[in-house]
Amino acid sequence: MAQQRRMGGQPLFILSEDSERTQGRDAQSSNIMAGKAVSESVRTTLGPRGMDKMLVDSSGNVVITNDGATILNEMDIEHPAAQMIVEVAQSQEDEVGDGTTTAAVIAGNLLAEAEALIEQDVHATTIVEGYHEAARIALEAIEDQVLPADVDDAVLTQVATSSMTGKGTGGLTPETLAETVVEAIRHVETDEGVDRDRVEIHTQVGASSSATELVPGIVLDEEPAHDDMPTTVENADIAILDVELGVRTGEIDAEYSIDSIDQLTAAIDAEEGELRQYAQQVIDSGVDVLFTTDDVDDRVASLLATEGILTFENISNTKARKVASATGARRVGALDDLSSDDFGHADRVRTETYGDDDLAFVEGGAAAEAVTVFVRGGTDHVADELERTITDALDVVATALDSGEVVPGAGATEIAIADAVRSAAAGIEGRKQLAVTAFADALDIVPRTLAGNSGQDPIDSLVDLRAAHESDGRAGLVTDGESVTIGDPVEHGVVDPADVKREAVESATEAATMIVRIDDVIAAE
Ligand code: ADP
Ligand code: MG
């Protein structure tokens, strides 16, 4: 609908005829509805008993996942306010790597509470102020929940387990995988913190998930340049060449004017001699394993194979960099410059064939700790979801180790911060108090949803949880195998990084207040 103003009887168009405009309450309520709808869509996946979603895109590709960020990314969300909730999940994923569903669900419930306040004529600005005030109180309350104990391997394993419970683990127990995850992160711990980027994930479909293992190095999908090359080289000196080991393409194309068989033989001999010399230079350097970013002629490869030199050709720049940083090899741009000074080193380089795929493992690189979680799964879907699950677990363990702070999980932290915000609300004047209380009520969505998803009555559970929090100080809805009980999550090893909760409160508040503040939507065609 075009906007028009009248000026001296003439209509004045300020927007194009095709743009749409919604204002006031209508704009607010449609935005709030969209945001709520998105958050509602991931609610059933929250917690250890959360269900998975199957997402099918327009070309029929299927993703089966429990991961909030993945679900929201895969959904084709167009509404701009709904998109803001997607961004909440995305920033949660980027900042701390987990808690995406929690953040989206809290944001949605902050919107639902705001909608009720707007209906009671509380002004949007008051709601926004109240929410910001409440978020400050909530963040303080999170500090009080931080567990005093050191974040040691046992705690890290619990953090990893809590993050993987209820996720696609391909039939493995989260506990088994948790050990692999913690070991991986410990490998890349430095004085300056966790070097998370040095933990890679390589997914290989074909075996059952139980074959998932930690490789003490890097994994490349590369095959040897020649079938006769060794499949394993121990204690390997490694070189990286950015040189073609063949007769240069230009020379092949050049026209020879050959008049006799002798001349032909001579030309072939010259070529052979050249190739032989390349091979000899590599052999003389004393290298055991060669990576090149360019072609290696079959005849050169054959000669190298005879000498037991394992060679990989045409590797990408990225892979060359990875090999260099793991082994300490310096890349060499001319064959004449190849010398042991530029060699890197690894305890072992081996190649392995998995169905149609060939992989190279560079283990125990001398330069830097790098590890790869080698994820196996019987099918693409199992392996992909396992990869997402492990990625999240690696992120949370890194987050927990870096900050050294964990809080009780299973809804206990949310119950405690809601309680703190509710108590603080009593001291706040005016209508803002309503907004602060509403914020506390919104946080209840986490324990309520955990209850609902595990087949408990949400309202009864909430009442019981609050009572237990009142009397015992720490109470969550703990799922342990088949049983769901109210108890101390810490005793059951259910803990989450404090940063995951902080980020969830901050990003949910930010998105909800941004949406509430909008009262005019102007959309171009
Ligand atoms: P998110 O995307 O928010 O991380 P999850 O599906 O991973 O969503 O659920 C996380 C929630 O599940 C956290 O509140 C965490 O404390 C809780 N949780 C994890 N393990 C358990 C358990 N064994 N019992 C109860 N709650 C658990
Ligand atoms: Mg999680």
Side-chain angles (χ1 to χ4, degrees):
M1 188 215 327
Q3 286 296 306
Q4 33 173 293
R5 301 269 147 83
R6 289 198 171 265
M7 243 185 144
Q10 290 290 95
L12 169 71
F13 292 92
I14 57 167
L15 288 171
S16 106
E17 221 157 316
D18 296 324
S19 51
E20 278 201 38
R21 184 165 189 181
T22 337
Q23 278 172 294
R25 283 271 174 99
D26 284 349
Q28 271 175 331
S29 70
S30 100
N31 280 338
I32 287 176
M33 225 153 57
K36 266 166 54 183
V38 175
S39 127
E40 196 61 32
S41 71
V42 290
R43 233 167 74 110
T44 52
T45 68
L46 185 78
R49 292 285 176 84
M51 302 295 281
D52 295 351
K53 279 195 193 296
M54 180 189 265
L55 302 145
V56 187
D57 73 9
S58 49
S59 41
N61 296 320
V62 175
V63 174
I64 299 170
T65 186
N66 182 276
D67 183 56
T70 307
I71 296 169
L72 294 173
N73 270 332
E74 293 284 333
M75 285 174 26
D76 204 4
I77 290 170
E78 271 189 13
H79 195 287
Q83 193 58 43
M84 287 184 186
I85 304 295
V86 179
E87 283 165 20
V88 170
Q90 197 53 57
S91 76
Q92 183 82 19
E93 178 83 17
D94 295 345
E95 295 297 324
V96 288
D98 198 15
T100 51
T101 314
T102 304
V105 164
I106 293 177
N109 225 35
L110 285 173
L111 289 174
E113 294 289 338
E115 190 178 35
L117 290 174
I118 290 169
E119 269 160 27
Q120 296 167 46
D121 278 331
V122 179
H123 195 272
T125 319
T126 313
I127 300 173
V128 169
E129 281 173 14
Y131 276 10
H132 281 306
E133 176 89 38
R136 268 195 300 280
I137 302 162
L139 290 174
E140 278 171 29
I142 292 175
E143 298 312 308
D144 297 335
Q145 291 300 307
V146 172
L147 300 177
D150 273 352
V151 173
D152 57 11
D153 276 6
V155 173
L156 292 176
T157 309
Q158 291 174 351
V159 168
T161 307
S162 301
S163 117
M164 292 190 284
T165 307
K167 297 275 185 287
T169 49
L172 297 179
T173 64
E175 288 78 7
T176 348
L177 283 174
E179 276 174 34
T180 308
V181 166
V182 172
E183 200 187 329
I185 293 295
R186 283 291 192 196
H187 261 285
V188 297
E189 196 183 359
T190 67
D191 293 343
E192 283 101 59
V194 176
D195 198 353
R196 169 69 180 85
D197 291 343
R198 288 204 178 275
V199 183
E200 301 220 350
I201 293 200
H202 194 103
T203 304
Q204 187 66 40
V205 178
S208 85
S209 322
S210 59
T212 297
E213 59 174 341
L214 191 64
V215 175
I218 55 174
V219 178
L220 310 167
D221 43 354
E222 290 296 336
E223 59 179 331
H226 196 281
D227 286 346
D228 295 340
M229 285 176 175
T231 53
T232 304
V233 178
E234 305 278 347
N235 214 354
D237 282 326
I238 295 168
I240 308 170
L241 267 181
D242 293 310
V243 188
E244 182 180 353
L245 297 182
V247 181
R248 254 150 241 130
T249 337
E251 292 175 39
I252 286 174
D253 285 344
E255 270 185 43
Y256 290 95
S257 79
I258 290 166
D259 306 321
S260 68
I261 294 289
D262 282 354
Q263 275 181 336
L264 180 62
T265 323
I268 293 173
D269 282 352
E271 204 178 282
E272 289 279 328
E274 195 183 331
L275 294 176
R276 207 174 287 281
Q277 191 212 324
Y278 292 156
Q280 199 56 49
Q281 273 184 281
V282 173
I283 294 163
D284 290 345
S285 76
V287 75
D288 303 315
V289 179
L290 177 67
F291 291 91
T292 66
T293 53
D294 213 323
D295 285 330
V296 176
D297 189 284
D298 282 348
R299 287 167 285 180
V300 176
S302 165
L303 292 166
L304 295 177
T306 313
E307 291 296 321
I309 297 173
L310 177 56
T311 307
F312 301 93
E313 62 178 330
N314 287 319
I315 70 166
S316 67
N317 216 359
T318 317
K319 287 179 194 164
R321 267 204 302 272
K322 257 190 222 172
V323 174
S325 98
T327 65
R330 270 198 302 271
R331 292 170 69 166
V332 176
L335 192 51
D336 290 341
D337 297 339
L338 184 65
S339 88
S340 58
D341 296 346
D342 300 313
F343 289 174
H345 196 84
D347 293 342
R348 186 153 70 137
V349 179
R350 63 185 169 94
T351 59
E352 208 92 48
T353 306
Y354 297 89
D356 295 337
D357 303 318
D358 291 284
L359 298 182
F361 295 77
V362 181
E363 297 173 346
E369 291 282 4
V371 291
T372 304
V373 183
F374 191 51
V375 174
R376 306 303 308 275
T379 70
D380 279 333
H381 292 141
V382 170
D384 288 351
E385 178 68 347
L386 187 53
E387 173 171 340
R388 281 188 287 271
T389 302
I390 291 178
T391 305
D392 278 3
L394 287 166
D395 288 340
V396 278
V397 170
T399 301
L401 188 56
D402 263 338
S403 78
E405 292 181 343
V406 298
V407 295
T413 294
E414 286 82 359
I415 289 282
I417 57 184
D419 185 39
V421 172
R422 221 169 260 124
S423 312
I428 292 167
E429 303 273 303
R431 291 186 172 197
K432 205 163 105 183
Q433 185 190 83
L434 297 177
V436 175
T437 310
F439 188 98
D441 293 344
L443 289 172
D444 288 341
I445 191 73
V446 174
R448 254 171 42 205
T449 305
L450 286 174
N453 287 354
S454 56
Q456 313 285 307
D457 183 88
I459 306 290
D460 290 347
S461 298
L462 190 62
V463 172
D464 294 346
L465 274 171
R466 281 193 190 148
H469 169 73
E470 216 36 61
S471 57
D472 309 333
R474 198 152 62 203
L477 196 68
V478 181
T479 301
D480 205 346
E482 292 300 301
S483 78
V484 181
T485 48
I486 288 181
D488 182 352
V490 181
E491 275 173 22
H492 292 82
V494 182
V495 290
D496 297 318
D499 280 345
V500 168
K501 302 295 181 198
R502 292 189 184 107
E503 183 66 29
V505 165
E506 285 176 354
S507 59
T509 307
E510 199 175 301
T513 52
M514 201 183 273
I515 292 172
V516 167
R517 226 187 265 128
I518 299 167
D519 80 336
D520 194 356
V521 179
I522 305 158
E525 189 201 5

